[in-house]
Amino acid sequence: MKYEIEYKKRRTLSVRISDGKVFVSAPRGMSRDSIETFLNKKSKWIEKNVEKQKASLSRCEALSDNEALLFGEIIPLPPGYVGKRLAFYRSVSGCLTERTEYFAKRCGFTYSGLRFSRAKTRWGSCNGKNGITLNLALLALPKRLSDYVIVHELCHTEHHDHSPAFWKLVESIIPECRAMRKELKNYAYTLGFFK
């Protein structure tokens, strides 16, 4: 198994997979044998997730330069946006703003601001001051899934954790939220659109 090691000032060993490659963060001074033993124990999980990421990347690369995935549908990019998928998504990001405002008003949430990111691993986040960040890749998802992420982050303005109270609130707005959370994993490849 190929992997890259980074030694850090830390107590534990961790593994992450990015772009189909394995990266290990290890405590300074840890022996290569200890790292190999750990990786061997985790080999099935690592191989499974490496293959998943590689499959996702190939789906992402299958889109041509003149196509985009918008709300779950492959569409031709408008004139002026061919080869500029990121610029196209930025141009239609107002759709996410409108949906955030809609759910905030409908459900009585207050948030301090909204911005967009190109994070490789997160669909969204809510900070301690109730500022919400949404990934532009949400524009590639079916609307019901992007709505779920928006509601999820708005619920964090009331519960800054994933406690039972948080999930009860999300479920009161989107009853099928737990199934949607699992379904989101099928769209992880869209997080690679902005490399």
Side-chain angles (χ1 to χ4, degrees), residues 20-121:
K21 296 175 185 174
V22 181
F23 297 89
V24 178
S25 292
R28 289 178 187 149
M30 179 173 272
S31 71
R32 183 66 70 118
D33 285 345
S34 297
I35 293 168
E36 293 279 351
T37 300
F38 178 84
L39 292 175
N40 286 334
K41 285 180 183 176
K42 298 282 184 185
S43 62
K44 284 186 180 177
W45 177 87
I46 291 168
E47 286 166 15
K48 179 183 171 185
N49 284 279
V50 165
E51 289 308 310
K52 268 188 183 178
Q53 283 204 4
K54 284 182 177 175
S56 291
L57 288 166
S58 65
R59 271 189 275 180
C60 183
E61 288 160 4
L63 280 178
S64 71
D65 282 347
N66 64 348
E67 292 176 324
L69 193 60
L70 185 64
F71 299 123
E73 302 287 332
I74 295 175
I75 63 159
L77 283 167
Y81 289 104
V82 174
K84 299 175 182 176
R85 195 179 293 129
L86 174 56
F88 169 71
Y89 281 127
R90 281 181 171 149
S91 76
V92 296
S93 62
C95 299
L96 297 176
T97 304
E98 287 171 13
R99 294 304 283 169
T100 305
E101 289 172 356
Y102 165 77
F103 281 110
K105 189 174 181 180
R106 180 184 137 193
C107 305
F109 294 115
T110 302
Y111 59 99
S112 62
L114 176 64
R115 67 185 193 90
F116 300 105
S117 80
R118 296 183 287 156
K120 288 184 178 181
T121 57

Side-chain angles (χ1 to χ4, degrees), residues 1-5 15-24 39 45-47 50:
M1 177 191 309
K2 289 184 179 179
Y3 58 90
E4 292 182 26
I5 302 176
V15 179
R16 71 182 170 85
I17 299 162
S18 179
D19 296 343
K21 296 175 185 174
V22 181
F23 297 89
V24 178
L39 292 175
W45 177 87
I46 291 168
E47 286 166 15
V50 165

